[in-house]
Structure formats: structure tokens, C-alpha cells
Amino acid sequence: MRFSPAGSASDWYRLLRIDKPAGYWLLLWPTLWGLLAASGGRPSLKNIIIFVAGVLLMRSAGCVINDFADRNYDPHVERTKSRPIAAGAIAPGAAMVGFIVMLLLALLLVSMTSAYVMALAVAGALLAFIYPFVKRYTHFPQAWLGMSFGWGAVMAWAAETGSVFDSPVPWLLFAANICWSISYDTAYALGDRADDLKIGVKSAAIWFGDRSVVAIVLLGMATVSLLGVATFMLGGFWVGLGWWLALMLQMLLCGRLMRCGERWGFDFFLQSHYVGALFATGLALQGLSATL
């Protein structure tokens, strides 16, 4: 087989994790929280298109820079050794070109909003770029992931209102997403803990050790608690119902994890995004009810 450093369409499909959509949902829901909460559930169509397209681009760009940063580590981890860059199907230089193109497209999208949101977008791009390298220095790269993903809520709020300092709600959403990301991504990292220890990569799953399940549960409950404060400030029946359903699901997921232990960690990760979906649905229904 001839080596192709640029990679095939199939290689890029896998590099961008299009076949693993959970990451798209986990970035989309916080961004929609910000849009919907700021607009009373009725964001502008323009902002919906800009931010949904931005989510698709930035999640894909994040996967590329993550695999570029981990190209010398992934071959030693069972789960990641077949990733396109680690396996040599896509050259690191070609991957970086793809990353830059997606980043420029995302910035082009956000240029259709305002200079204020563009400045926030630059900060968001820096968060996304730095995230893959954080695991070299701290056991909590998941917190940085939470800031990267949660920044979408802050930007979306700014796009709808023109400021991020007119209310504590965007910052409550931001803080909730940090707790949420540490929770679900620690559950995800449980499966890599043995390999990470061997190659010297840090993670919250390593730091928490035998307390990982308890930490995941507490952080999951902290997430819905922060969303509950935001719900109280926003008001509205449908927002409250969406939050209550999100709370119930989070409790069910946490209960299942406590019963099954670490072996259920990956399933916990896969199903966590439904918590965010329920809260976003409540925000959307609030806006829909106001138009009927």
C-alpha cells in the first residue's frame, strides 16, 4: 500500500471524529445554552447558523490539534494507536494545514457577528489550541476542556446581548460546563488510565484514583446545581422543566455508575450529553411557548 501523507477521505473522516458524534453534542449543548438563555429561547436565525456551524468546525479542529499534539503518545495507547496521524496515514504537517483552515473558517463565521464577539473568539481559539498540551503539566486537562467547550456559551450570550457582564448567567453556564467536562471526561479517561500511567500523561482519572467514581458523581451533581441557579435567575416553566428532567437524568446516570463502577465509565460519557440536551430543550420550549 502506498503511503499518502495527505490522507484519504476515510482517514480525515476518522481524524475529525465524524464517526464519533458525542463530542459534537458535548460542544453544541453549552453553546445553545448561551444562545437560548440570552434570547429567552428565541435566538436570531443568523446566530443559530453561525454558532452551529462554528461548533462543527471547532470540534473537528480540536480533534486535529489533539491528535497532532499526541502523535508521539497515541501509538503507545491501545485505544488511539490506529488514529490516522499516529498510524502514519496523515502527515502531521497536513493535519496542521487542515487545523489552520478550519480555524480560519470559524473566525470567518464569527466575523459576521461583532468585534466584541470576535475578540472572545480569539480567546476561545487559544483555549482550544492549548488544551491538548495541558495534560503534560496538570492532572486536570478536563478542566481546560470545560473552559474550551464552555466558552461557546459565553460567546453565544455575547452575540445575542452584546455583553458578557450584563448577567451572571453566562458565567454560571461556563462554570457548569467546567464541572460537567471534568465529570464526563474523567469517566472517559478511566479506560486509558493504565496506558496513561505508562507513558507519563496526566489525567483526573489518575489523580482521583480509587475515588474517581465518587468524584465523577459529585461533579455531575455540581453541574446540575449550577444550572439550577441559572434556571432560577432565568425563570419560566419550561426552563424549570428542562432543568428538572436534566437533574433526574443526571441522578440516574450517577446511580448507574455507582452501581456498576468504573467499567461503566465509557457508557456514562456517551450518555452524558443527553443531560445538556434536556436543559437546552427546556430553554427552547420557553421561547416557543412565548410565540404561541
Side-chain angles (χ1 to χ4, degrees), residues 95-244:
M96 280 304 294
V97 170
F99 171 75
I100 293 169
V101 168
M102 285 184 282
L103 207 60
L104 290 174
L105 288 173
L107 289 174
L108 178 62
L109 279 172
V110 83
S111 70
M112 300 176 193
T113 55
S114 68
Y116 185 72
V117 178
M118 282 191 70
L120 292 173
V122 171
L126 287 173
L127 286 170
F129 179 80
I130 294 171
Y131 160 67
F133 302 95
V134 174
K135 67 186 75 173
R136 317 288 198 272
Y137 308 103
T138 174
H139 280 99
F140 287 92
Q142 288 84 2
W144 198 275
L145 176 69
M147 289 188 286
S148 300
F149 278 23
W151 200 247
V154 176
M155 287 175 54
W157 182 281
E160 283 290 327
T161 68
S163 174
V164 294
F165 299 110
D166 56 345
S167 168
V169 170
W171 301 107
L172 285 167
L173 300 178
F174 180 69
N177 197 73
I178 294 174
C179 292
W180 196 33
S181 296
I182 301 174
S183 177
Y184 65 64
D185 205 53
T186 298
Y188 181 85
L190 290 172
D192 293 337
R193 187 162 55 191
D195 287 325
D196 287 344
L197 283 167
K198 286 190 294 184
I199 62 179
V201 171
K202 301 177 187 297
S203 78
I206 293 172
W207 194 85
F208 287 129
D210 293 338
R211 301 165 295 175
S212 291
V213 168
V214 173
I216 292 165
V217 168
L218 291 176
L219 286 160
M221 297 313 297
T223 300
V224 288
S225 296
L226 288 165
L227 292 179
V229 177
T231 297
F232 177 78
M233 298 188 71
L234 291 167
F237 170 79
W238 293 106
V239 179
L241 178 61
W243 172 78
W244 185 83

Side-chain angles (χ1 to χ4, degrees), residues 9 28 38 42 56 63 70 89 122 128 161 194 200 207 218 221 251 263:
L28 177 65
R42 291 171 290 176
L56 297 175
C63 291
D70 288 348
V122 171
T161 68
W207 194 85
L218 291 176
M221 297 313 297
M251 291 177 67
R263 62 186 174 83

